[in-house]
Amino acid sequence: MQPVLGDQARLRTRYLYQCILQRASWNAKVLVSTDAFEECIFWEHKVESFNEIGSRLSQLTYNVPQDYYVFSDASGTSFGGFVTTGSEDEPLEMFGSWSMAEQAESSTWRELEAVKRLLINFVNILSGKTIRVFTDNLNITHILNIGSRKMVLHKNALFVDEFCRENAIKLSLVWLPRESNQYADTLSRVTDSDDWEIQDEIFLYLNHVWGPHDIDRFAHDYNAKCKHFNSKFWCPGTAGIDSFYIRITLDNTVKEAVQDSGIEVGSYMYELYPKMCELLINSKSDNTVKSYFNSYKRWERFITLQGHKSLPAQPVHVALYLTHLLNNNSTCHPISNAVYGIKWAHEINGLNDPTSNTFVTSILEASKRVAPKKTEKKDSITPETLIELCDMFKNSLDLLVIRIWQ
């Protein structure tokens, strides 16, 4: 099955094999578990979609261009990684700490969980894309392709497979040596000095005096004091990523606009402005906001160094910034991201959109034609491949084949 259906043939039959191996004797009936039954349902509905995605016979020249590259690593106490397009643009980083229970898990579990959290955190930009994940743990490439006998690892592999299917992510995996994964390794050892918590009894006292509190704005799954919480990066249970931080940057602008409109401080309409800020932020998904915010911050750093304001921006400055990106060999995707980020920052602050200017739109269109295309190196030919080719054609009577191999 695998040459026709690909690695799914092994990944999606683990529970079925387990049921067969657990039967009492050769002629005994097979007790089908709930998980194995779900595998049968999966094949009933999905088998036709796997036609022609098995092993390719032209592996020597087959190399699909990638939209993004994801690098991941995990240590005993934390994890980290980043997403890049392969250009000179600043990569999108993510890092976090393990809870005490997670630290007790195996190193393979932590490496697999790190890949899973990176994909979830950056799903907004990875959705519908072809990506390649790099990890320095050889077991991870094996487990994500065909699953694992350890059910805790296999369930994570199934989650990643289903997650990629639901978000149209085409995922490939590559192992690389640890010395080639230094950036992700450094992120996996970052200690967040701001990741602290108050003692439970103090929170209970404060909640009694000023509560009840509904949401913990700066938290993580292992230190949140409320059922709902926000975190800097994705983690299990988070209600939003970095949303409160972004709201702070918007709060003053909305407050000034409300006051300038003639509304008095303390009036009913004035008291509505915090809710208005929240609705403005929620007009986009958390991951979309995160992506736009990062793109805007890159623009802000550039234009501030040049001695000009980032907000409100002048259209000619934005056009020159896009020219700068093209001049530094950026691909088309980071350039369009820059435009969307600048546009978003102006819209939620009630400012005129500088990206609608003809200078900007023309350069954006030009980038689709003149921006460098991603180049992919050919896969190396291994000795095993050459041996297989020789074995395949050793009995051929074709003169052309005989001439090539002699």
Side-chain angles (χ1 to χ4, degrees), residues 72-102:
S72 171
D73 201 7
S75 64
T77 58
S78 52
F79 65 94
F82 63 96
V83 176
T84 178
T85 58
S87 66
E88 295 183 2
D89 291 317
E90 185 177 345
L92 299 176
E93 300 175 350
M94 176 187 177
F95 53 85
S97 301
W98 300 120
S99 65
M100 294 301 294
E102 291 167 340

Side-chain angles (χ1 to χ4, degrees), residues 138-209:
L138 190 58
N139 288 334
I140 299 305
T141 60
H142 180 80
I143 292 170
L144 285 175
N145 280 326
I146 66 173
S148 173
R149 294 180 181 178
K150 296 181 178 179
M151 288 301 105
V152 65
L153 301 178
H154 187 65
K155 287 184 181 294
N156 260 353
L158 289 176
F159 176 89
V160 171
D161 179 72
E162 194 63 33
F163 179 80
C164 290
R165 190 184 310 281
E166 291 174 355
N167 292 282
I169 298 174
K170 295 182 179 179
L171 176 71
S172 61
L173 298 139
V174 176
W175 172 84
L176 77 168
R178 180 169 298 176
E179 54 270 18
S180 301
N181 199 29
Q182 289 297 320
Y183 189 12
D185 180 70
T186 301
L187 290 174
S188 73
R189 302 178 189 280
V190 170
T191 301
D192 189 354
S193 59
D194 294 323
D195 189 19
W196 54 272
E197 63 176 317
I198 62 174
Q199 296 177 354
D200 290 340
E201 52 269 25
I202 295 178
F203 171 75
L204 291 174
Y205 170 74
L206 296 176
N207 196 49
H208 175 73
V209 175

Side-chain angles (χ1 to χ4, degrees), residues 313-379:
Q314 296 187 36
V316 68
H317 291 169
V318 177
L320 288 171
Y321 174 59
L322 300 184
T323 304
H324 160 75
L325 294 179
L326 281 169
N327 198 43
N328 282 279
N329 297 319
S330 289
T331 57
C332 183
H333 185 78
I335 293 170
S336 60
N337 260 11
V339 172
Y340 292 140
I342 296 169
K343 176 184 177 69
W344 167 80
H346 283 74
E347 285 181 347
I348 66 170
N349 282 283
L351 302 172
N352 292 329
D353 176 20
T355 64
S356 60
N357 182 272
T358 54
F359 284 165
V360 178
T361 57
S362 296
I363 291 180
L364 181 60
E365 286 300 315
S367 70
K368 299 175 182 178
R369 286 179 284 275
V370 303
K373 308 297 182 183
K374 289 191 281 290
T375 57
E376 295 290 332
K377 295 181 179 179
K378 300 294 184 181
D379 290 334

Side-chain angles (χ1 to χ4, degrees), residues 52 62 238:
E52 301 180 355
Y62 179 68
T238 183

Side-chain angles (χ1 to χ4, degrees), residues 23-50:
R23 60 185 173 175
S25 65
W26 180 264
N27 295 320
K29 292 182 179 180
V30 176
L31 180 62
V32 179
S33 66
T34 302
D35 291 324
F37 183 74
E38 289 179 357
E39 285 183 337
C40 294
I41 298 298
F42 173 85
W43 286 111
E44 181 183 10
H45 292 92
K46 301 289 186 180
V47 65
E48 291 185 2
S49 66
F50 293 119

Side-chain angles (χ1 to χ4, degrees), residues 2-3 10 18 22 30-31 51 55 95-96 106 133 136 172 177 186 212 233 260 302 358 403:
Q2 194 167 2
R10 296 183 66 182
Q18 190 178 50
Q22 289 177 346
V30 176
L31 180 62
N51 283 336
S55 302
F95 53 85
S106 67
V133 175
D136 56 19
S172 61
T186 301
F233 302 111
D260 291 343
F302 170 82
T358 54
R403 179 181 177 186

Side-chain angles (χ1 to χ4, degrees), residues 231 327 341 396:
S231 56
N327 198 43
S396 176

Side-chain angles (χ1 to χ4, degrees), residues 246-247 250-251 253-254 273-285 289 344 347-350:
I246 297 170
R247 174 176 169 172
L250 178 64
D251 188 87
T253 301
V254 174
Y273 96 83
K275 182 64 176 179
M276 177 180 169
C277 292
E278 184 177 339
L279 293 173
L280 288 171
I281 290 295
N282 291 333
S283 64
K284 305 287 185 184
S285 71
V289 170
W344 167 80
E347 285 181 347
I348 66 170
N349 282 283

